[in-house]
Amino acid sequence: MKAEIAVMTAENIDRKAIARGGEILKNGGLVAFPTETVYGLGGNALDPKASMKIYAAKGRPSDNPLIVHIADIRDLDKIVTEVPEKARVLAEKYWPGPLTMILPKADIVPKETTGGLDSVAVRFPSDPIAQELILAAGGYVAAPSANTSGRPSPTTAGHVAEDLGEAIDMIIDGGQVNIGLESTIVDFTEDIPVVLRPGYISLEMLRETLGDVRMDKGLIKPDSKVHPKAPGMKYRHYAPKADLAIVEGSTEGVIAEIEKRAGEAEEKGLTVGIIATDETKGRYSHGIVKSIGSREQEETIAHHLYEVLRDFDSCNVSAIYSEAFFTPRMGQAIMNRLLKAAGHKIINVEEEKENDSTGM
């Protein structure tokens, strides 16, 4: 059965389609919908069977927590047992918006939704379509990204249909999303707030508001033995079909290294994909080169990341090499997603030069 598709915009919401989507969710079905970050795959967050349907549709491990989406701040207190003062301060500043907070869960939230944890991840999205659907569904919608587990997250309804069109009931097509990277996740179950997933709201922005905030060590080197407290912490995510490697170092060194590898692949009759920027795309003479955006406008890199990764799936490339993107504000979030997609495979040009010079 193919998913029903309802097309609308934030300025012209189809109320009948929203009501139909709400009924599907109330009855235990699955509806994909746009948010300001990526498309979400919605199910009734308070229905354990609906949460299990989400895991099944995505092919997602059931210990990977789902985020509960709300559309009325007053609904937060019904699904958590405590909201620390710092969490309320952050919610006041960034909700609705691309922020997820982890808080102690109330009994009303089933452990099927939280991946077996006693905490729950909660978000209040700013997208008007998402808000209307959540309210129509009863106020609590569990929604991971609407893609097959491990694949690049969907930023258009077409991406959703490609991955899940046969497995869910409805897709609400609200056009391309705005940000293109998942929300920042902050854990408030510790004494000091901990960032479990970087996003549009950066560590610096959080510290400006809260003071002491730390990054989870698992963001640097994931620990497969640890039960994940938030989506995307344990398993490989966002990956294209071809192997991806990130090349880091000086601009000149990175371009030279990627050019060398692309040329060697061509000599073997293979083609590689290259993820570059507007500033560097014209400097490559081998491979299929795609610009991800401009370093001068780092939001464009975040916006196009998943789209470019998905584009390469149709290019029949043997491997993909990406420049590293340590941009000032969103670089942390962009590199987090790229590292996940690459399985943490990094080629450091300076280290390779050093090894060559020492004969190692």
Side-chain angles (χ1 to χ4, degrees):
M1 180 190 73
K2 279 197 174 183
E4 173 188 350
I5 297 178
V7 181
M8 64 187 77
T9 65
E11 296 74 31
N12 188 17
I13 294 176
D14 183 338
R15 304 289 172 187
K16 287 184 178 177
I18 290 291
R20 197 158 59 250
E23 284 303 310
I24 290 170
L25 290 167
K26 284 178 180 176
N27 292 324
L30 303 182
V31 177
F33 61 97
T35 75
E36 73 275 24
T37 57
V38 298
Y39 271 75
L41 175 58
N44 181 351
L46 306 184
D47 178 354
K49 290 181 180 177
S51 292
M52 295 311 293
K53 274 189 183 180
I54 291 173
Y55 289 118
K58 284 177 62 69
R60 178 186 179 121
S62 60
D63 68 345
N64 208 353
L66 305 176
I67 294 174
V68 177
H69 290 61
I70 61 174
D72 185 334
I73 192 67
R74 293 170 296 185
D75 289 339
L76 177 63
D77 291 320
K78 299 173 187 174
I79 56 171
V80 302
T81 58
E82 180 190 358
V83 183
E85 182 58 30
K86 285 190 174 184
R88 291 196 184 276
V89 168
L90 208 60
E92 189 173 325
K93 182 159 187 177
Y94 289 114
W95 272 2
L99 168 71
T100 296
M101 297 194 293
I102 294 183
L103 300 162
K105 82 173 190 70
D107 290 341
I108 193 174
V109 183
K111 287 199 172 180
E112 286 82 355
T113 297
T114 66
L117 298 173
D118 291 323
S119 57
V120 60
V122 190
R123 181 161 109 78
F124 185 166
S126 62
D127 185 279
I129 295 172
Q131 291 181 4
E132 292 292 336
L133 179 67
I134 293 162
L135 293 173
Y140 302 102
V141 175
S145 54
N147 57 306
T148 305
S149 189
R151 296 269 289 131
S153 297
T155 55
T156 69
H159 296 160
V160 180
E162 179 185 332
D163 280 13
L164 301 174
E166 304 283 341
I168 64 178
D169 302 291
M170 186 180 192
I171 299 171
I172 296 177
D173 183 349
Q176 186 154 14
V177 301
N178 181 28
I179 295 173
L181 291 182
E182 297 84 356
S183 60
T184 302
I185 299 179
V186 184
D187 183 6
F188 283 96
T189 64
E190 307 280 343
D191 291 336
I192 298 171
V194 181
V195 176
L196 300 185
R197 183 175 72 188
Y200 185 83
I201 299 167
S202 67
L203 180 63
E204 290 71 23
M205 293 162 72
L206 294 168
R207 284 176 173 166
E208 280 176 16
T209 307
L210 301 179
D212 195 7
V213 179
R214 65 183 179 86
M215 297 288 284
D216 186 88
K217 292 177 182 176
L219 291 172
I220 301 164
K221 189 173 183 181
D223 187 345
S224 62
K225 296 175 184 176
V226 174
H227 193 124
K229 293 184 76 173
M233 290 192 72
K234 181 175 177 181
Y235 302 97
R236 190 180 182 211
H237 277 255
Y238 324 119
K241 292 175 182 174
D243 285 339
L244 169 68
I246 302 164
V247 185
E248 64 177 24
S250 67
T251 301
E252 298 302 320
V254 167
I255 292 171
E257 181 67 22
I258 294 176
E259 270 281 270
K260 177 174 77 94
R261 289 171 180 261
E264 289 170 351
E266 283 186 0
E267 287 176 7
K268 297 174 184 174
L270 303 171
T271 303
V272 302
I274 298 171
I275 300 176
T277 63
D278 292 349
E279 292 84 0
T280 60
K281 64 181 179 182
R283 300 186 59 187
Y284 294 98
S285 58
H286 301 288
I288 298 173
V289 185
K290 292 183 182 290
S291 172
I292 199 173
S294 169
R295 290 183 189 272
E296 298 298 315
Q297 298 172 294
E298 57 184 314
E299 286 84 358
T300 62
I301 294 175
H303 187 71
H304 296 296
L305 173 60
Y306 294 140
E307 182 181 6
V308 166
L309 290 176
R310 281 180 175 267
D311 281 350
F312 274 123
D313 284 348
S314 60
C315 294
N316 198 30
V317 294
S318 59
I320 302 169
Y321 296 100
S322 175
E323 298 174 4
F325 299 101
F326 296 105
T327 55
R329 190 175 68 76
M330 294 192 69
Q332 216 167 40
I334 294 164
M335 288 303 295
N336 170 262
R337 305 315 193 272
L338 265 177
L339 284 165
K340 283 280 188 181
H344 287 261
K345 183 179 180 183
I346 299 173
I347 299 165
N348 188 296
V349 174
E350 308 311 319
E351 286 180 5
E352 293 225 335
K353 275 186 187 173
E354 190 176 315
N355 289 342
D356 286 344
S357 65
T358 58
M360 292 174 68

